[in-house]
Every structure is written in C-alpha cells, then in structure tokens.
Amino acid sequence: MSASPDPEARFEVAVSTDKDQVDWNQLEFKGDSFPKILVRERATGKLLAAIQYSCDANSDARPIRENMKATWTPKGDRVALTVSERFYSHVIVFVIRDAPRGGIACKEVKLPAFPIEAVIPGFKEFRPRSHESVMGWTNEGHLRISRSVSADTLPGESGQVVYSAVYSFIYDLSHPRNPILISMNRDSQS
C-alpha cells in the first residue's frame, strides 16, 4: 500500500517509512521512531492524520505496506484498514469530513471492544492469536468486519477445551464518537 487513494482520488493512506527504504535500519522502534499510518489530502499533500503502526513491523520479511489493506466507502469519506502481522490483525477506521471552521478533519474511530468473556462459554483466558479484518461497507455506509478469537475454557466434564470462533459485526459510524453495533453473528465455532 504505497499510497492507497479513495475512489475519487481526493485522499490517500500510506505508511511513513518501510523496510525497503534506506532509513529503515536506522529506526530504533521506540518513542516517535515507529512507522506511522498516514492519511493525506492528495492535491496538497496535507497530513490529515498520523497514528503509530501498531503491529510488529518485523513479524515477516515483507514491507509493512503489504500487510495493510484499505477499504474505502464509495464516497471516499471513510476508510477502514486491515493491518496484519503473522499472528495478529486488527481494523483501524478513519472518518474524513469538512471541518466546522473550514478545511478537512480526519478522525480515527474507536470501535467498541469485543465482549469475548460474554460470548465464550466457560471463558478462562484469551489466546493472543486473533484476527480482525474488514469485510466491506454496506449500501447504507455501515462497516462490516470479521473477528476470529480463541480462548481456553474452564475445565468441564471433558477437561479444558480451546474454543475458537469467527464473528461478523456491522457498525453504524454515523456518529464517529459513538459507533453503534447494529448486529453481531457467530459465523463458525469449534
């Protein structure tokens, strides 16, 4: 994802630095030196948002931009990123709007936490290998994502069991500060 533009090519998502760039080996991976995920206005190059790349940038040999996928709404006013590494992936969402005092505002949307303890029978502890990915946007502009989870459960009649499941979620992001979970479905389990 060297630069992934929205459908109208007004904005783009990119990474600040990557493994195949000359300065990669000089990064200390502490403080402000971590790679960043950038949202920019294409015409001006103006930076609208910059957040730290939150996966392990060295989890495999590929450039980190290859571990990111941008899914834009048809209007290009929202983008959902699937950011992945070897054992983990998650979704980051940005909403881009006209700012009240002029210009453009870009805000990261914090999706509600997944209530893993509530949906896994006999939950004991979460297993850290989980994956979350963007499935797309609905015609109404709602975000569809998928989350796979696994956990150890409390010993039962057959002993301790590892529970795994894949859930799909639909979120209404009309009010980015308060996303609403519209639906949650268990797609598979073992």
Side-chain angles (χ1 to χ4, degrees), residues 72-111:
W72 290 89
T73 58
K75 288 194 255 178
D77 60 342
R78 298 175 190 172
V79 61
L81 307 173
T82 300
V83 183
S84 61
E85 64 176 50
R86 196 167 165 196
F87 300 117
Y88 177 74
S89 65
H90 67 282
V91 171
I92 301 170
V93 182
F94 292 99
V95 172
I96 304 169
R97 294 186 169 171
D98 291 327
R101 295 184 184 133
I104 299 167
C106 180
K107 299 287 182 193
E108 181 182 1
V109 176
K110 299 290 185 187
L111 298 176

Side-chain angles (χ1 to χ4, degrees), residues 10-26:
R10 292 175 44 216
F11 308 106
E12 66 184 3
V13 178
V15 291
S16 61
T17 187
D18 212 337
K19 293 179 193 177
D20 54 358
Q21 294 174 343
V22 178
D23 61 348
W24 181 260
N25 292 327
Q26 298 169 2

Side-chain angles (χ1 to χ4, degrees), residues 11-186:
F11 308 106
E12 66 184 3
V13 178
V15 291
S16 61
T17 187
D18 212 337
K19 293 179 193 177
D20 54 358
Q21 294 174 343
V22 178
D23 61 348
W24 181 260
N25 292 327
Q26 298 169 2
L27 294 178
E28 296 179 27
F29 294 106
K30 62 182 182 182
D32 202 37
S33 68
F34 283 96
K36 300 225 178 352
I37 297 171
L38 310 172
V39 180
R40 298 184 293 222
E41 187 175 23
R42 291 190 65 172
T44 64
K46 180 181 176 188
L47 184 64
L48 302 175
I51 62 167
Q52 183 174 313
Y53 181 80
S54 52
C55 284
D56 178 0
N58 290 307
S59 69
D60 64 30
R62 296 182 302 162
I64 59 175
R65 66 182 176 270
E66 292 181 16
N67 293 331
M68 295 174 49
K69 179 185 173 211
T71 305
W72 290 89
T73 58
K75 288 194 255 178
D77 60 342
R78 298 175 190 172
V79 61
L81 307 173
T82 300
V83 183
S84 61
E85 64 176 50
R86 196 167 165 196
F87 300 117
Y88 177 74
S89 65
H90 67 282
V91 171
I92 301 170
V93 182
F94 292 99
V95 172
I96 304 169
R97 294 186 169 171
D98 291 327
R101 295 184 184 133
I104 299 167
C106 180
K107 299 287 182 193
E108 181 182 1
V109 176
K110 299 290 185 187
L111 298 176
F114 176 50
I116 187 171
E117 295 90 346
V119 298
I120 295 181
F123 175 84
K124 180 181 175 188
E125 64 183 3
F126 176 69
R127 291 204 163 193
R129 294 183 184 183
S130 67
H131 292 280
E132 186 175 76
S133 61
V134 176
M135 297 169 67
W137 297 92
T138 68
N139 292 336
E140 298 81 19
H142 299 146
L143 175 64
R144 295 180 63 233
I145 67 170
S146 171
R147 289 182 175 138
S148 67
V149 295
S150 61
D152 289 332
T153 60
L154 297 169
E157 293 176 16
S158 61
Q160 188 170 338
V161 176
V162 174
Y163 176 94
S164 331
V166 176
Y167 293 84
S168 58
F169 300 82
I170 298 179
Y171 291 98
D172 179 350
L173 305 178
S174 300
H175 303 285
R177 289 185 182 182
N178 298 306
I180 298 169
L181 176 61
I182 295 175
S183 72
M184 177 177 104
N185 296 307
R186 185 173 54 221

